Amino acid sequence: MTVAVSLIGIGYAYYLGLYYGPKIIYSVLAVVGALMLHASVNVLNDYYDFIHGVDTISSPTAIYRHQPLVMGTVKPIIVKTLGFSLIIAGAAIGTFLTIMESYWILLLGLVGVFLLYAYTGPPFTLKYRGLGELSVALTWGPLLVGGFFVAASGGLLIPRVFLVSLPPLFIMFAIIYANNYRDREYDRASGIRTLAILTSRHGYGIYLGSLVTAYIINVMLVLMGVLPYTSLITLPTALLIPRLIRAFRGNAPDIDARTGLLYTIYCLMYGISLMIPW
C-alpha cells in the first residue's frame, strides 16, 4: 500500500511539470523511508497490543495470520527493539531528504512518526481512545502523499496536494475501521474503545460511506480541474465494493486485507493516471 500511494504524490508532481530526472533518487529514498516507518507501526502495534493484553491466542487477528508474540516464537524485547530501529532508520532517511530538499519533509515526517507511534504507543494509545482510524487515515493520505510530492518536486508543497490525497484517505479509513469493527466485541472485552466500538450501530453505513466518498471526491476534483480526466480510470475499481460490503456484513476475518487490496489497486491506477500524457 505504501508503494502504491507513493505514485500519487510522485505522479502529481509529474502532472504539474515539477518532476525531472535527478529527483528520482529522492523519490526512491522517500519510498524506502516510508516503508520502514510502515513496518515500524505494524511491529509496534503488535507489540503494544500484546503488552496491553489485547492480542491473545484467541483474538480475531490471530485466527488468520501468524503472530510471533502471541505464539511465543519471539521475545517482546526483540519486537520492541525492531520497531524503534525501523523508526530510527526511516527518520534518518527523512533527515537526509530534509537537508537536501525541504523542511516540509521534516514537518510532515515528524507528524507522521508521532501518529504512527501514538496509534498504540503510551501514553497516547489513540487506537484505544477512538482516534486510531483517523490517525492512520491521515498518515496514509495527506502526510504520505504530501511527503512524496515534496520529495519528487524538489521541496515544493502546494495546498492542492492535500485535496488530491483525500480519496486514499477515505479508503484507508475504511480499512482500519473494518479491522476494528471485526474485532469490536473482543476489543470491548479487553477494555479498550475504538471508533468502531463507539459507532458499531452505524458500522455498515460508515464503512460503505467511506468507500463511496473516495470516488465522489475523485470525480469532483476532476470537475474542479484539480485532477486530469485520466484519473477517472480509477472508477472501475468501485466494482469491488459490493463484494467488500458482503464480506463486511459477514464479518469476514480478512476484511481489512480485502479492503487493503482495493486501496492498493486504486492508488496504483490513480498514480499511473497522473503520469499519462493528456
Side-chain angles (χ1 to χ4, degrees), residues 10-19 160 225-228 274-275 278:
I10 296 170
Y12 200 58
Y14 180 86
Y15 166 67
L16 296 179
L18 300 173
Y19 186 84
R160 277 184 293 169
V226 176
L227 292 175
L274 298 173
M275 303 179 194
W278 63 287

Side-chain angles (χ1 to χ4, degrees), residues 9-276:
I10 296 170
Y12 200 58
Y14 180 86
Y15 166 67
L16 296 179
L18 300 173
Y19 186 84
Y20 56 95
K23 297 302 177 187
I24 188 170
I25 184 63
Y26 295 146
S27 299
V28 171
L29 284 173
V31 173
V32 172
L35 283 171
M36 289 181 175
L37 294 176
H38 186 175
S40 73
V41 72
N42 286 342
V43 172
L44 291 177
N45 179 51
D46 276 2
Y47 171 77
Y48 285 114
D49 274 352
F50 176 76
I51 293 299
H52 294 146
V54 176
D55 281 350
T56 65
I57 194 67
S58 60
S59 62
T61 304
I63 294 175
Y64 78 96
R65 72 174 175 91
H66 180 75
Q67 288 186 298
L69 280 171
V70 173
M71 305 301 178
T73 56
V74 66
K75 295 180 180 179
I77 186 61
I78 294 177
V79 177
K80 183 178 181 180
T81 301
L82 173 61
F84 281 104
S85 297
L86 288 166
I87 289 180
I88 292 171
I93 293 177
T95 301
F96 173 77
L97 292 175
T98 297
I99 295 172
M100 299 301 296
E101 293 202 292
S102 169
Y103 281 96
W104 281 119
I105 293 178
L106 176 63
L107 178 60
L108 294 172
L110 287 175
V111 176
V113 169
F114 168 74
L115 290 178
L116 290 174
Y117 170 77
Y119 182 66
T120 51
F124 309 102
T125 57
L126 299 179
K127 173 184 175 180
Y128 307 153
R129 304 172 191 272
L131 297 173
E133 291 85 350
L134 180 59
S135 67
V136 175
L138 287 172
T139 302
W140 268 268
L143 292 177
L144 278 182
V145 173
F148 289 126
F149 179 87
V150 173
S153 66
L156 298 177
L157 182 63
I158 59 177
R160 277 184 293 169
V161 173
F162 297 117
L163 292 176
V164 172
S165 73
L166 290 178
L169 178 152
F170 278 96
I171 299 178
M172 178 54 71
F173 179 89
I175 295 172
I176 306 303
Y177 187 85
N179 175 81
N180 292 338
Y181 187 84
R182 176 202 60 207
D183 297 346
R184 65 192 184 281
E185 296 303 329
Y186 188 87
D187 287 345
R188 182 182 286 114
S190 300
I192 66 176
R193 297 195 307 167
T194 63
L195 182 63
I197 291 175
L198 298 175
T199 62
S200 58
R201 291 180 58 187
H202 310 286
Y204 171 78
I206 291 173
Y207 179 74
L208 175 60
S210 298
L211 295 177
V212 172
T213 299
Y215 291 89
I216 292 175
I217 293 176
N218 194 155
V219 174
M220 289 178 61
L221 292 177
V222 171
L223 297 177
M224 292 166 58
V226 176
L227 292 175
Y229 285 100
T230 53
S231 68
L232 294 177
I233 67 172
T234 59
L235 298 186
T237 62
L239 295 175
L240 296 173
I241 293 180
R243 182 176 296 181
L244 289 174
I245 291 301
R246 290 194 294 271
F248 183 87
R249 280 182 157 172
N251 209 36
D254 61 343
I255 182 59
D256 52 346
R258 296 191 191 190
T259 314
L261 179 61
L262 170 63
Y263 179 91
T264 302
I265 297 173
Y266 179 92
C267 289
L268 284 172
M269 296 186 69
Y270 193 178
I272 292 171
S273 75
L274 298 173
M275 303 179 194
I276 298 175

